[in-house]
């Protein structure tokens, strides 16, 4: 099934990736081809098969509740595009009022 | 040293240079200097950055290794041996770019366990190696720093995503390298460049501190000139790490001390899955494996055709699950805590859209978009859940195969390295180039690519050996044996 430019725009919105019109068109074509390729897996008979989340048997591991030092604030802020010395700065998320 | 001596020294294996260092016939300062010189001269674009900063970098570390040796306090076989890491391993204070605009200026405040372990073994970090952007690719041609060339044939790709790692080992600018492999990203470039590349059992090597691609597949592994070198490097980096929740507790054997070779074939039962010998494998690659199979039989192994019934679903299942996991891992790049942030935005939402739109390359976007698509309401059951069930069936196929066989043997890749600039008209065609490698990631089992044969143009081929989980030593024995058969063939 062909994936439309509108679908690409919708999933790019979920992915928070801004796309140009040219990109949206190109990815619609690409993803339609990938969709055909991946479609095989949808046809597999999987009645009664449990989904695997991991390959190797994993068990929950407990560790002692010991405090370990975390990284200094200045070091963590050093990579931030914008900060005020105490926290990360972003554009406003909530409206005022 | 004259040029011939330099070339000889550079082309030594890890074990070879370690022996000279141990006998103090050469110093770490000399070999490190030689490697740095060769890196500067190379035109293959294997390195993204070189460790020659103000703090003294590689040469300072080499001088320290030399003084340890003089004082009889050597840290072991890796002490003073120059090596390099794929640029997805974080090292405190050193740029880690993942070959992306997004992390172009990222300087991690912490160090990956693999890098810590190598440092405590005395290995000298020469620099960070080129890769596909965020490991999304299989030719190291999605890097913002440009493609890596294949040292065997510079007009061809090095493979990927750990292409810089394979090229550095092949061009003798590192005695070994560590890459990461979520779908063949160590083994396929190793095959393309004619070196050894191993993906250990999932959880055998800590994932802490390398930038994740697909967390349920990611595993770090060595690229080296010989299998013995691979065993030395794996012994240094394997082991439980409390900082990785998927790290295995099982004790780590000494892979190097226990290494055996071709005499082992007498006790090996080897299966060749017919699904990886079909029409999707190029004729000469198939013939190459058939020829090896005959030699393995001559060496005393039981070699039989076998079947992995669900093999044809492996590539699509891997693509769905890895894209979904990749999408989750990529969510952190929001331009707030670290990494690229776009300019000229009007709101928080607009900042995110621009930052990610400008910061990611095409292949990264394509995989994120498909990842979200396969997790979305309309596709979740048909794709993501189906792929997870297919994974269960594939794991079961391997379990059953390993009831009959000690090892499975396939080509490492269906083709040899393709020319630089090749554009696959259909992205799915490019993903199929990983078809031989991805099942080991789905099943979490150890797999190695070892050089065997070449095509008409002289481009190397690799063969892949797989064994049950935690039988990493078995994989190494078999690969060492194949190497011995290769030496016999070359001299016979």
């Amino acid at each position: 099934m062909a994936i439309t430019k509108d679908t690409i725009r919708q999933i790019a919105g979920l992915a928070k990736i801004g796309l140009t019109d040219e990109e949206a068109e190109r990815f619609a074509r690409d993803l339609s081809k990938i969709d055909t390729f991946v479609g095989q897996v949808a046809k597999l008979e999987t009645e009664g098969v449990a989904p695997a989340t991991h390959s190797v048997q994993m068990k929950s591991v407990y560790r002692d509740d010991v405090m370990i030092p975390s990284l200094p604030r200045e070091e963590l802020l050093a990579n931030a595009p914008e900060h005020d010395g105490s926290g990360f700065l972003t554009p406003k998320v909530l409206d005022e009022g | 040293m004259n040029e011939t001596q330099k070339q000889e020294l550079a082309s030594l294996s890890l074990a070879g240079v370690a022996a000279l260092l141990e006998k103090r016939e050469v110093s770490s300062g000399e070999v490190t200097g030689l490697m740095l010189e060769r890196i500067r001269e190379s035109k293959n674009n294997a390195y993204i950055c070189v460790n020659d900063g103000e703090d003294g970098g590689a040469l300072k570390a080499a001088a320290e290794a030399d003084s340890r040796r003089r004082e009889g306090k050597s840290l072991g076989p890796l002490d003073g041996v120059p090596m390099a890491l794929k640029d997805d391993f974080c090292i405190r204070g050193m740029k880690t770019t993942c070959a992306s605009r997004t992390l172009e200026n990222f300087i991690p405040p912490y160090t990956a366990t693999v890098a810590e372990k190598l440092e405590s073994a005395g290995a000298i970090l020469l620099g960070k190696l080129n890769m596909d952007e965020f490991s999304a690719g299989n030719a190291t041609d999605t890097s913002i720093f440009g493609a890596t060339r294949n040292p065997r044939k510079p007009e061809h790709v090095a493979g990927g995503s750990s292409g810089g790692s394979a090229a550095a080992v092949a061009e003798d600018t590192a005695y070994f390298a560590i890459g990461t492999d979520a779908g063949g990203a160590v083994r396929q470039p190793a095959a393309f460049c004619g070196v050894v590349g191993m993906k250990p059992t999932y959880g055998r090597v800590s994932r802490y501190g390398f930038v994740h691609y697909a967390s349920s597949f990611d595993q770090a592994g060595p690229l080296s000139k010989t299998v013995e070198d691979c065993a030395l490097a794996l012994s240094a980096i394997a082991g439980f790490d409390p900082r990785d929740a998927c790290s295995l507790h099982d004790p780590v054997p000494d892979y190097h001390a226990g290494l055996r070779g071709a005499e082992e074939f007498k006790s090996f039962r080897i299966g060749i899955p017919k699904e990886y010998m079909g029409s999707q494998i190029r004729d000469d690659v198939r013939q190459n494996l058939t020829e090896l199979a005959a030699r393995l039989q001559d060496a005393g192994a039981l070699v039989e055709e076998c079947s992995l019934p669900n093999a044809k679903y492996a590539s699509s299942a891997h693509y769905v699950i890895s894209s979904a996991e990749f999408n989750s891992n990529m969510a952190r790049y929001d331009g707030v805590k670290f990494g690229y942030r776009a300019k000229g935005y009007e709101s928080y939402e607009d900042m995110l859209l621009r930052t990610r739109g400008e910061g990611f390359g095409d292949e990264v976007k394509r995989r994120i978009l498909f990842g979200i698509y396969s997790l979305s309401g309309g596709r979740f059951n048909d794709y993501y859940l189906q792929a997870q069930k297919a994974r269960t069936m594939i794991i079961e196929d391997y379990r059953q195969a390993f009831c009959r066989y000690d090892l499975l043997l396939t080509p490492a890749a269906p083709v040899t390295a393709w020319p630089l600039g090749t554009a696959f008209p259909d992205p799915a065609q490019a993903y199929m180039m990983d078809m031989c490698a991805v099942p080991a990631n789905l099943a979490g089992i150890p797999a190695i690519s070892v050089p065997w044969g070449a095509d008409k143009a002289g481009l190397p081929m690799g063969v892949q050996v797989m064994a049950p989980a935690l039988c990493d030593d078995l994989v190494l024995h078999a690969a060492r044996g194949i190497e011995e058969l290769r030496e016999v063939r070359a001299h016979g």
Side-chain angles (χ1 to χ4, degrees), chain A residues 23 26 35 46 50 79 89, chain B residues 107 341 362 365 383 386 392:
Chain A
E23 281 180 311
R26 190 152 41 86
D35 199 43
T46 54
N79 276 296
L89 291 182
Chain B
I107 301 177
R341 183 192 283 195
D362 269 6
K365 288 178 188 168
Y383 284 4
Q386 273 289 99
T392 300

Side-chain angles (χ1 to χ4, degrees), chain A residues 1 3 7-8 11-19 23 26-27 30-31 33-46 49-59 61 63 71-72 75-77 79-82 88-93, chain B residues 92 105-107 109 202 216 246 248-249 310 312-313 315-316 319-320 335-339 341 345 347-349 351-353 356-357 362 365-366 368-370 372-373 379 382-383 386 388-393 395 425-428 431-432 442-444:
Chain A
M1 190 181 66
I3 295 176
T7 308
I8 293 292
I11 55 180
L14 295 171
K16 305 291 178 209
I17 295 177
L19 296 181
E23 281 180 311
R26 190 152 41 86
F27 288 136
D30 288 351
L31 261 66
K33 288 174 184 162
I34 299 170
D35 199 43
T36 310
F37 157 68
V38 161
Q40 293 171 33
V41 85
K43 294 181 203 131
L44 179 63
E45 180 47 69
T46 54
V49 178
T53 52
H54 270 95
S55 50
V56 179
Q57 202 63 46
M58 293 285 165
K59 50 179 188 288
V61 185
R63 60 170 170 75
L71 290 163
E75 285 194 28
L76 288 173
L77 289 173
N79 276 296
E82 208 183 335
F88 303 110
L89 291 182
T90 69
K92 278 202 180 75
V93 183
Chain B
R92 185 183 161 84
N105 295 308
F106 174 59
I107 301 177
Y202 180 78
S216 82
C246 293
L248 298 172
H249 285 258
N310 296 295
K312 72 169 169 176
Y313 302 105
S315 291
S316 45
Y319 189 72
V320 169
V336 173
K337 299 176 288 302
F338 55 92
R341 183 192 283 195
Y345 45 84
S347 64
Y348 179 71
E349 173 86 5
M351 181 198 79
L352 285 179
L353 292 171
R356 291 164 63 82
D362 269 6
K365 288 178 188 168
R366 203 177 283 131
I368 292 175
L369 293 176
F370 193 81
I372 294 209
Y373 177 67
R379 283 288 177 233
D382 275 357
Y383 284 4
Q386 273 289 99
Q388 287 190 311
K389 290 177 179 174
R391 187 176 189 181
T392 300
M393 293 164 77
I395 293 170
D426 180 345
Y431 306 139
M432 283 309 283
L442 284 163

Side-chain angles (χ1 to χ4, degrees), chain B residues 307-332:
Chain B
S307 176
L308 299 164
N310 296 295
K312 72 169 169 176
Y313 302 105
S315 291
S316 45
H318 181 272
Y319 189 72
V320 169
I321 299 169
S322 65
S323 301
E325 292 182 6
F326 182 60
N327 155 56
S328 302
N329 280 324
M330 297 306 286
R332 72 195 64 182

Side-chain angles (χ1 to χ4, degrees), chain B residues 184-266:
Chain B
V186 162
R187 291 161 286 151
Q188 181 257 33
F192 280 13
C193 293
V195 300
V196 176
M198 180 170 179
K199 182 200 85 73
T201 302
Y202 180 78
R204 183 75 292 191
V205 178
S206 169
R207 297 171 306 164
Y208 178 78
F210 73 72
V211 179
H212 291 185
Y213 174 79
S215 304
S216 82
F217 299 127
D218 284 335
Q219 184 58 194
L223 296 101
S224 59
K225 298 180 196 180
T226 68
V227 175
E228 182 187 15
D229 292 358
C230 183
L232 280 167
L234 182 60
S235 294
I237 61 172
F240 173 69
D241 181 4
R243 296 179 293 187
D244 176 355
C246 293
S247 179
L248 298 172
H249 285 258
D250 307 68
V252 180
D254 183 335
Y255 295 110
H256 180 248
L259 194 60
R260 299 186 295 271
E263 82 272 13
E264 284 296 296
F265 283 130
K266 291 189 182 65

Side-chain angles (χ1 to χ4, degrees), chain B residues 370-406:
Chain B
F370 193 81
I372 294 209
Y373 177 67
S374 65
L375 289 168
S376 65
R379 283 288 177 233
F380 182 84
N381 285 335
D382 275 357
Y383 284 4
Y384 186 67
L385 202 58
Q386 273 289 99
Q388 287 190 311
K389 290 177 179 174
R391 187 176 189 181
T392 300
M393 293 164 77
I394 289 161
I395 293 170
E396 179 60 17
D397 282 355
Y398 277 82
R399 198 190 62 75
Q400 289 197 8
F402 287 129
C403 293
R404 297 192 56 183
Y405 303 103
D406 304 300

Side-chain angles (χ1 to χ4, degrees), chain B residues 38-367:
Chain B
R38 291 177 64 90
I39 293 167
R40 281 190 290 270
E41 286 166 4
S42 170
K43 305 258 187 293
N44 295 324
N45 198 24
Y47 281 80
I48 287 177
C49 77
V50 181
N51 183 18
D52 58 359
E54 285 166 17
D55 62 346
L59 286 172
K60 181 163 173 262
E64 287 165 7
D66 285 331
S67 53
R68 280 195 295 273
R69 273 237 155 71
R70 272 196 303 276
E71 291 162 15
K73 291 177 183 161
S74 162
L75 299 171
L78 298 191
D79 201 358
V81 175
M83 57 86 201
L85 298 173
K86 185 177 180 180
D87 202 23
D88 58 356
F89 285 97
C90 289
I91 293 171
R92 185 183 161 84
M94 191 183 284
K95 253 187 210 178
T96 296
T97 70
C98 274
S100 177
R101 184 177 189 187
T102 292
L103 292 182
E104 211 172 0
N105 295 308
F106 174 59
I107 301 177
Y110 64 99
T111 298
T113 299
V114 163
E116 271 180 3
K117 279 177 167 276
L118 289 169
E119 192 186 349
S120 60
I124 311 297
L125 179 68
L126 291 165
K128 309 285 292 296
L129 297 159
N130 204 5
M131 56 186 284
D132 280 298
E133 183 183 5
F134 283 109
S135 294
N138 57 9
T140 312
D141 57 358
T142 67
S143 162
I144 56 156
F145 303 104
T148 294
R149 292 173 178 275
N150 188 320
R152 310 289 180 200
K153 291 257 173 205
E155 296 311 312
H156 288 73
V157 299
S161 61
S162 311
S165 308
V169 174
E171 69 172 13
D172 299 326
T173 56
Y175 288 99
F176 71 97
I178 308 294
T180 52
D181 185 320
V186 162
R187 291 161 286 151
Q188 181 257 33
F192 280 13
C193 293
V195 300
V196 176
M198 180 170 179
K199 182 200 85 73
T201 302
Y202 180 78
R204 183 75 292 191
V205 178
S206 169
R207 297 171 306 164
Y208 178 78
F210 73 72
V211 179
H212 291 185
Y213 174 79
S215 304
S216 82
F217 299 127
D218 284 335
Q219 184 58 194
L223 296 101
S224 59
K225 298 180 196 180
T226 68
V227 175
E228 182 187 15
D229 292 358
C230 183
L232 280 167
L234 182 60
S235 294
I237 61 172
F240 173 69
D241 181 4
R243 296 179 293 187
D244 176 355
C246 293
S247 179
L248 298 172
H249 285 258
D250 307 68
V252 180
D254 183 335
Y255 295 110
H256 180 248
L259 194 60
R260 299 186 295 271
E263 82 272 13
E264 284 296 296
F265 283 130
K266 291 189 182 65
S267 62
F268 281 158
R269 297 164 302 164
I270 301 172
I272 300 183
K274 62 179 183 200
E275 291 79 7
Y276 295 97
M277 288 294 270
S279 60
Q280 286 162 310
I281 310 292
R282 210 172 65 193
D283 287 350
D284 57 342
V285 175
R286 208 164 46 226
Q287 281 155 14
N288 185 54
L289 196 85
T290 307
E291 201 234 320
L292 170 62
R295 287 182 183 256
L296 290 168
Q297 256 170 336
D298 290 345
L302 170 83
V303 184
E304 278 178 4
E305 183 186 274
C306 67
S307 176
L308 299 164
N310 296 295
K312 72 169 169 176
Y313 302 105
S315 291
S316 45
H318 181 272
Y319 189 72
V320 169
I321 299 169
S322 65
S323 301
E325 292 182 6
F326 182 60
N327 155 56
S328 302
N329 280 324
M330 297 306 286
R332 72 195 64 182
Y333 302 105
D334 57 0
V336 173
K337 299 176 288 302
F338 55 92
Y340 177 77
R341 183 192 283 195
K343 296 192 172 46
Y345 45 84
E346 284 157 11
S347 64
Y348 179 71
E349 173 86 5
D350 189 40
M351 181 198 79
L352 285 179
L353 292 171
R354 285 173 191 253
T355 293
R356 291 164 63 82
E358 294 169 17
F360 297 150
D362 269 6
E363 188 57 31
V364 169
K365 288 178 188 168
R366 203 177 283 131
R367 294 189 189 195

